[in-house]
Amino acid sequence: MVVFIIRKFFYMIVVLLGVITSSFIVNYALPGDPARVMLGQRADEQSVIALRKELGLDRPKIIQYIDYVGKVLKGDLGKSFTTNRTIIETLQERFPATALLTITALLFSTIFGIIIGVIAALYQGKFLDSGVMAIALFGISMPSFVLGLLYLLVFGVILDILPISGYIDRGWNHLILPSMALALRPLSIIARVTRSSMIDTLSQDYIRTARAKGLSEFTTVARHALRNALNPVITTVSAWFAGLLAGSYFIEYIFNWPGIGMFTIDAILKLDYPAIQGSVLFAAIIFVLVNFIVDVLYAVVDPKVKLG
Amino acid sequence: MSQLLEVRNLITEFRSENRITKAVNDVSFSLKRGRTLGIVGESGSGKSVTSLSVMRLIPDPPGKITQGNILFYEKDGNATDLLTLPEETMRTYRGNRISMIFQEPMTSLNPVFRCGDQIIEAIMLHQKCSKAEAREKTLQLLRMVKLPRPETMIDQYPHQLSGGQKQRIMIAMAMSCNPALLIADEPTTALDVTVQATILDLMRELQREHDMAMMFITHDLGVVAEIADDVIVMYKGKIVETGSVQQIFEDPQHPYTKGLLACRPRLDMKLKVLPTVRDFMEEHPDGSISERSHDGVTEVLTRVAITKDEIALRNSVLAQKTPLLSVKDLQVYFPIRTGLFSSIKGYVKAVDSISFDVKPGETLGLVGESGCGKTTTGRAILRLVEPTGGSVHFNNQDVTTLSSSELKTLRRDMQIIFQDPYSSLNPRLSVGSAIMEVMRVHSIFNSDNERKDYAQYLLDKVNLLPHHFNNYPHEFSGGQRQRICIARALAMKPKFIICDESVSALDVSVQAQVLNLLVQLRDEFNLTYIFISHDLSVVKFISDRIAVMNAGKIVEMEYAQQLYDMPKEEYTRSLINAIPKGTVEDIRKRKISQ
């Protein structure tokens, strides 16, 4: 197990280095001179050269690269053009809001997604199954921002029972609409993945063995089938988790949720390159970290995952 | 002996979209305490459905028991009809009074739970005891089924055990509540012969000690002869014959039973062709069966037997020819990688310096248990896996040194037919295009018209019909698919074919037809075979010489009959002894010893 974790950790470091390198390269693949972009088209040549020197852009690329990697490893992602604060500071400040929204939405969608998926699998081909799966299809097809706007309209304006904008510092009920808007898609997908994985597992020989032992249907399903069916579900949940942690752009924007997603959208609208680069790099690191944790989790759930 | 189980007029149906199939059609039988009932039949005969019906484990939908009684007798003679019990009460029978073991030990245990816990679960469910007591009892059970190191095994996961060990775990689980009836559905089919022999011994022993009745379901008449007291033979959902095991083997009445007995490849005599079920019976479109000939099994067998002189003549002719294939010191090693940096810690010697020749027109049988290296040998000869060392000369060319373009030319001459006819045909290619495709790739013939003609000719040769040319694989049965694979291999006009377990997935009666076809094609197209199989009797039927492999080495290589009559090596002898022969003499001996 220890060797397994060390190896996965080693792979993670390699991937992280790759991520940092590509974010460095992307910076140079962008058209235009960063200094020129920072100062704007009308700036005179003198100040551009001065800024290039200040930013170290006149040094050889390899030195710049080493410098960049060193800075990133120290947590220095540069300064935002617009706010003039370090990016890492802003990300740290905004991460809790995003994490709260993500965890709430995913807890909800995982728990209910699995329950719905299992029920659909048990009633495979019957009315309940087709009904639930039709709703899930709707949930998958509906983009979260449309759903967000719909919620705003129905619960916030027409029924006027939930607040439509702002963070929990103004009350916990502010969490409900954005997290529910965010939860429907992963919930639908988790339900579908659970259903198909369960149907597959329920046809396995060891389920027949469990029934032949005289176990009740509930024990057979909950104890013997569910754990075997979980692997693809973990993959789905983790992909969503990593994706949402990096910022749920539209939902945060619509509900004025002060998270990373909103920060990124702001940065894009204002062409704040270091901020964009910083949040993209941050998203990539979150992805890699979450995947590392999931790999270890697989090994815990399924004893057959090779530890050697 | 008192009655234990009586099945009366059982009908189990399966519904698909527009059809109702009676998988079990009006079946009645009974079983006494302490006796073993063998249920024999081929796939689709309804034998497994019968056993699952007794357990009431038919998946519903699509299955349903629509008629009949299943009476379970208590010691005092009172009977309960299992079909009328509420599900909850039925569960107190399952795993407790009636328990079951299945064919696939590999998949029948839950992979995410430790072996011991799966047995403990069954004990705690049916017996009021603490977890510690259940664990103690589990250890006793593991000792009873003779597992090595029970203290370690109890905490191991299924994938850490071998197939035979897993089946012992299953048996321990089934025996955990001292059932009155054990249903064993093909419990040894997936196991090697030597392992099968030990499992059968164990089951017999447990049955005697616990005075338990057994329903033993199998397609293998040899196994039935070793274990059953009474036998029922099933065909397409119906019982066609019932009798004591002696009656069935000595004097079978129904033509299907005769056919089944005759079409098994035998170890004690060499045959020109295998009799098939069709030699004995004819099935009419309305489903009725009539007898074709009134001959007994022995008469038919003697008619097709080859004399020792004929064998000797063929062997001497083959011996004078120069070899077509010559394998010298062939090695295939697979590295074992472990540790943080996946460094090579050693090698699995899958094939360990083996040498042999194959003469043109000859069939060399390669036989051994799973993991002995027989399949790897076949693949290394074709360079489907790269040999680590040694040489393979085919037609005076060293296959191991050829470039990939030279290899392509050579592949025309050397073909392989795999075990599983279901997965070795592309489901999206019609049979005709599958056969024509290989001809096109190797530029055999100049036009598609000629190729089509030849494909039709080949279909005819493998006993398929011309209109099958446009059909897709899913429209064919397993035996037909294997014949398509044979036709496809023949399309290249090869000189040499490796048959890798090519008949192992087929029912005995179909197996006989395919084996006959292979022999007939060998003579007609002047082919040379290497025939790889775990089944010594199949290998013995088709081969001129047999090489027995164990742990990557050839243990013994000899003419087929000689190998069986006078095995020189201990390993060969143990392999031959482990095979259930299914002869009348053996049954008599067993009955007397009982």
Side-chain angles (χ1 to χ4, degrees), chain B residues 125-258:
Chain B
L125 181 72
H126 296 293
Q127 302 173 12
K128 292 195 168 45
C129 64
S130 70
K131 187 153 188 199
E133 284 164 356
R135 192 180 161 90
E136 192 41 51
K137 191 149 189 240
T138 303
L139 278 172
Q140 282 171 17
L141 285 163
L142 296 188
R143 269 177 227 125
M144 182 180 83
V145 296
K146 302 193 178 98
L147 274 166
R149 297 171 285 108
E151 290 78 12
T152 330
M153 290 259 169
I154 193 169
D155 287 323
Q156 278 185 318
Y157 286 101
H159 71 273
Q160 295 169 304
L161 273 59
S162 73
Q165 289 172 337
K166 272 185 243 189
Q167 200 58 300
R168 280 170 198 265
I169 296 277
M170 280 299 290
I171 294 174
M173 193 193 293
M175 298 296 299
S176 63
C177 298
N178 251 326
L181 170 62
L182 175 67
I183 302 176
D185 187 356
E186 304 260 12
T188 58
T189 305
L191 305 173
D192 280 326
V193 266
T194 49
V195 183
Q196 164 170 291
T198 57
I199 295 281
L200 288 178
D201 278 342
L202 174 71
M203 292 182 71
R204 265 195 302 257
E205 199 182 312
L206 291 175
Q207 180 189 26
R208 247 197 326 271
E209 282 167 17
H210 296 262
D211 191 32
M212 174 178 72
M214 266 207 289
M215 249 168 87
F216 198 102
I217 292 129
T218 179
H219 69 283
D220 188 340
L221 281 161
V223 173
V224 166
E226 298 245 315
I227 201 153
D229 302 305
D230 305 293
V231 178
I232 61 181
V233 181
M234 288 188 73
Y235 181 70
K236 294 199 173 162
K238 290 192 170 176
I239 295 180
V240 293
E241 187 158 0
T242 315
S244 76
V245 65
Q246 272 157 302
Q247 278 167 357
I248 295 280
F249 277 79
E250 276 176 29
D251 188 20
Q253 296 302 314
H254 194 276
Y256 179 68
T257 315
K258 290 184 196 170

Side-chain angles (χ1 to χ4, degrees), chain A residues 266-285:
Chain A
D266 273 341
I268 293 171
L269 290 175
K270 289 172 185 153
L271 287 179
D272 189 345
Y273 281 107
I276 298 173
Q277 198 187 13
S279 39
V280 168
L281 189 60
F282 180 77
I285 291 171

Side-chain angles (χ1 to χ4, degrees), chain A residues 7 205 209 212-213 223-224 228, chain B residues 107-108 110 118 121 126 339:
Chain A
R7 179 178 307 149
D205 291 346
T209 308
K213 262 190 229 178
R223 213 174 115 77
H224 283 262
N228 278 291
Chain B
T107 53
S108 293
N110 195 329
Q118 304 193 39
E121 185 183 33
H126 296 293

Side-chain angles (χ1 to χ4, degrees), chain B residues 306-321:
Chain B
I306 308 180
T307 61
K308 292 224 156 145
D309 293 341
E310 283 172 297
I311 302 175
L313 180 68
R314 182 174 158 85
N315 286 344
S316 68
V317 171
L318 285 173
Q320 285 161 11
K321 297 187 179 172

Side-chain angles (χ1 to χ4, degrees), chain A residues 256-307:
Chain A
N256 201 16
W257 190 265
I260 290 171
M262 200 159 102
F263 169 66
T264 314
I265 291 203
D266 273 341
I268 293 171
L269 290 175
K270 289 172 185 153
L271 287 179
D272 189 345
Y273 281 107
I276 298 173
Q277 198 187 13
S279 39
V280 168
L281 189 60
F282 180 77
I285 291 171
I286 292 279
F287 248 98
V288 177
L289 272 177
V290 169
N291 275 317
F292 166 69
I293 296 168
V294 170
D295 276 345
V296 176
L297 208 62
Y298 277 143
V300 177
V301 175
D302 186 354
K304 268 194 296 186
V305 168
K306 222 178 128 204
L307 298 173

